[in-house]
Amino acid sequence: MIVAIDGPAASGKGTLARRLAQHFGLPHLDTGLLYRATARVLIDEGRDFSDVAAAVAAARGLALIDFDEKLLRGPEMGEAASRVAAIPEVREALVESQRAFARRPGGAILDGRDIGTIICPDADVKIFVTATPETRATRRALELKGQGAKVDYAAVLEDIRKRDERDATRSLAPLRAAEDAEILDTTKLDVEASFKAALDIVEKKILVPKVHARDAGPA
Ligand code: DC
């Protein structure tokens, strides 16, 4: 079973993907980390983000495991990743490794911006997780506060709006829900309720064909 989870920054898609992966015992790939890690290589090498050849080399050189999440998770890296992710050549360089991950025996859960539309258009289940920018900014601010950071809510909201705008308007693989994705608006849901709603979507999708198969069994 392949589950594609997409959505804007701080929508909670990562938490949902992790929980679903645990629940179903499936491997999980947070594809945002690929763009974050690519941006990090460019920063560490002192390269400009307009250096397409260096960005492609950085993307191609990534291993899909052992990301230093502490180094990559910060808001500045989110902004840097969004810029790198707007380079079509970088996206193309990362397509095949994501698809190979999805093809693992037994399936996988991937979360990002273009999983249901470009990376796994034939995924068994597609969920587009969303919430208002204000709700997402509040959650992100609380998360940062919890990590001991000094937080300016207005700046967090501005960062989220800017990323939404860039991710949704880039030329290749812009952020959007696949036509056959279920939209999960978590604005009024807490983590537990969001997980239950997502689980419900997955179970309905994977159980319905089985029920039909049983109904169509030998007379
Ligand atoms: O999900 P995230 O916040 O870690 O993603 C960081 C940036 O990477 C995001 O602003 C856009 C980009 N991204 C993307 O373009 N496609 C993906 N599949 C995942 C992330």
Side-chain angles (χ1 to χ4, degrees):
M1 169 174 78
I2 297 176
V3 181
I5 303 189
D6 291 300
S11 58
K13 62 188 185 313
T15 306
L16 276 182
R18 260 191 307 281
R19 291 275 306 266
L20 289 173
Q22 254 171 13
H23 182 87
F24 290 105
L26 288 171
H28 164 227
L29 180 63
D30 170 351
T31 63
L33 283 177
L34 304 178
Y35 297 95
R36 287 171 183 260
T38 300
R40 188 75 229 177
V41 172
L42 292 181
I43 292 168
D44 288 348
E45 289 179 352
R47 309 257 191 195
D48 200 276
F49 280 7
S50 59
D51 187 341
V52 175
V56 168
R60 289 220 177 100
L62 295 180
L64 293 198
I65 46 166
D66 288 342
F67 289 110
D68 184 344
E69 296 205 20
K70 223 171 157 202
L71 197 71
L72 298 176
R73 287 273 174 223
E76 341 69 57
M77 288 314 300
E79 169 66 15
S82 170
R83 288 176 58 198
V84 162
I87 304 172
E89 291 87 345
V90 167
R91 305 200 70 83
E92 277 153 20
L94 290 170
V95 166
E96 198 35 51
S97 53
Q98 294 176 78
R99 289 193 179 143
F101 189 94
R103 282 195 300 266
R104 286 172 173 213
I109 299 189
L110 287 81
D111 78 82
R113 302 290 188 289
D114 60 343
I115 308 303
T117 50
I118 307 288
I119 304 297
C120 303
D122 297 327
D124 301 282
V125 187
K126 297 181 188 178
I127 305 177
F128 190 84
V129 187
T130 187
T132 62
E134 291 77 11
T135 304
R136 290 185 278 129
T138 302
R139 289 179 190 155
R140 181 51 52 87
L142 279 174
E143 187 187 328
L144 292 169
K145 252 188 206 151
Q147 293 163 5
K150 226 177 126 211
V151 182
D152 173 358
Y153 172 80
V156 174
L157 179 59
E158 174 61 22
D159 173 64
I160 280 181
R161 286 193 196 283
K162 212 161 117 193
R163 276 220 276 153
D164 281 0
E165 165 78 11
R166 188 187 294 113
D167 294 347
T169 56
R170 65 181 174 228
S171 61
L172 190 66
L175 165 71
R176 67 175 176 82
E179 274 173 21
D180 51 350
E182 292 276 346
I183 309 292
L184 176 53
D185 186 339
T186 66
T187 303
K188 298 202 169 96
L189 305 179
D190 64 13
V191 174
E192 210 45 46
S194 303
F195 174 63
K196 285 211 177 89
L199 193 55
D200 208 43
I201 292 171
V202 178
E203 285 179 339
K204 274 199 186 116
K205 282 268 179 204
I206 56 176
L207 287 180
V208 168
K210 279 191 193 143
V211 171
H212 285 162
R214 194 188 59 208
D215 289 349

